[in-house]
Amino acid sequence: MAETTEDGNKPPKRGLQNRHVQLIAIGGTIGTGLFMGAGNSIHYAGPIILLVYLIVGLFMFVMMRAIGELLYADPKQHTFITFITRYVGNRAGFFARWSYWLTVVFMGMAELTAVAKYVQYWFPGLPSWLIQIGMLIILTCVNLVAVALYGETEFWFSMIKIIAILALIATGIILALTGFKTPVGDVSFSNVFHHFSFFPNGFGNFINAFQMVMFAFVGMEFIGMTVAETDNPREVLPKAINQIPWRILFFYLGALFIIMTIYPWQKIPADQSPFVMVFELVGIKWAAALVNFVVLTSAASALNSVLFSASRNFYALSFQSKARFLQPFRKMSKTQLPINAVLFTSLMVAFSAVISVIPEITNAFSFVTSASTDLFLMIYVLTLIAYMNYRKSNDYMQDGFLVIAPKTLVPLAIIFFAFVFITLFFNPDSRIPAIGSTIWLVVFGLISWWQPKKAIK
């Protein structure tokens, strides 16, 4: 019997292997924020940034375990947003479905803009819009050929990021053990704790560090949807999600610790990539070009994941809504891929190329993309509420992939995400986007409230 979801649609073909998922899961927890933004976060928070990453990583892990338990209980679903409709209600589901899809699309537009910027490092004469269209066509084709090709592409994108971080960590350890001297001082593990202070730049900057780190983790939930594309999701899902804490500890905390080992944290500039500084120290003159290549693949990887995730969500939307204009997006290709959903999602992301040639609305674009990132926090909260309601339902699977200490950690995670959102209003750089996302919450929340209380079958 053919597999179907609760909406009656035939899900996309499962074509990812375990090795794809494991590497994608690692790469999914590593973003350009680490390569380009680590210096900024260390500059403002100092060594305590390690604790901030631990705290944020803990609550993101709780959310991922909640998503994992839901998908494990019902592996037919290819997006966790479905569970918000099922366990919170159609109105909340309507808000989450459309908000999440639009948020991910805006995220893709931001990544596509970044891709153009990185390519122009080598080819400054190429127009941004041309680079964006070219990259979008390539990755759209990747998403249309087969799920396995998407997995293979992400596998190598992730491999590049992992090798870069391993090279940084290995370089730092060697420099520390050999007593290497730099223009700013000796390389030593003691640099991390020298003149240690919990709030070296004030309590306000410590609080702001949470939002900087939080945004570095946004998109981690793509791992759950990737696992849903495997032939044996119940076997792969626990492995992929349970390894997240170790990846965070090793890759994020390991990289940050080594950076502060090489450079005294008080002297790390906020506006320069620590990766560039470290590789230049060991004599790699083309360090800037190397890091530019890494962040280019990182942005391309994020864009690839956006096309994959957003198209699956839009495909699900076409079944969850009875609107006639959405019916064509139910179409599947011969290789069982949601072809029209992928093409429409790519078309929406392509508006980034249009925006790039209209300088007058550059600030507006930054505003929209920043505000959409804030919406992730709202969706995370709705996901955790859905999880708590699932535990009270008849669907609860007592022998499933269970969250650890759910009665304590899940409510704490909800409080934490709400806390991060509130802090956005106290930072001048994030205040306007926070206001914008709040307006979206109120306006689209009212529109969602006008929807039927129960989904129309």
Side-chain angles (χ1 to χ4, degrees), residues 40-77:
N40 186 56
S41 57
I42 294 172
H43 177 80
Y44 285 107
I48 201 66
I49 196 67
L50 298 173
L51 177 62
V52 176
Y53 266 94
L54 272 176
I55 294 172
V56 176
L58 167 66
F59 289 116
M60 286 299 291
F61 177 58
V62 171
M63 189 198 68
M64 287 304 304
R65 281 294 297 255
I67 291 176
E69 183 173 338
L70 290 167
L71 288 171
Y72 188 92
D74 187 0
K76 295 191 301 295
Q77 304 308 317

Side-chain angles (χ1 to χ4, degrees), residues 301-347:
S301 169
L303 177 58
N304 202 27
S305 294
V306 161
L307 294 176
F308 178 90
S309 173
S311 61
R312 267 61 178 178
N313 275 284
F314 198 73
Y315 176 73
L317 276 172
S318 69
F319 284 88
Q320 293 162 347
S321 172
K322 302 304 177 183
R324 185 171 297 178
F325 77 93
L326 289 175
Q327 305 312 301
F329 299 105
R330 297 181 177 185
K331 181 180 179 180
M332 300 288 280
S333 67
K334 292 181 180 179
T335 54
Q336 291 303 304
L337 295 173
I339 179 171
N340 287 348
V342 172
L343 290 173
F344 183 72
T345 298
S346 296
L347 181 64

Side-chain angles (χ1 to χ4, degrees), residues 405-428:
K407 294 182 179 179
T408 301
L409 291 180
V410 172
L412 281 177
I414 292 174
I415 294 171
F416 175 74
F417 290 141
F419 155 75
V420 174
F421 188 82
I422 291 172
T423 63
L424 300 174
F425 293 90
F426 296 94
N427 186 340

Side-chain angles (χ1 to χ4, degrees), residues 118-151:
Y118 299 141
V119 171
Q120 285 178 327
Y121 175 86
W122 291 294
F123 305 101
L126 275 180
S128 176
W129 67 267
L130 184 60
I131 298 171
Q132 292 183 45
I133 294 298
M135 179 60 72
L136 191 58
I137 289 174
I138 292 171
L139 294 183
T140 299
C141 291
V142 166
N143 276 267
L144 285 175
V145 173
V147 172
L149 181 58
Y150 161 80

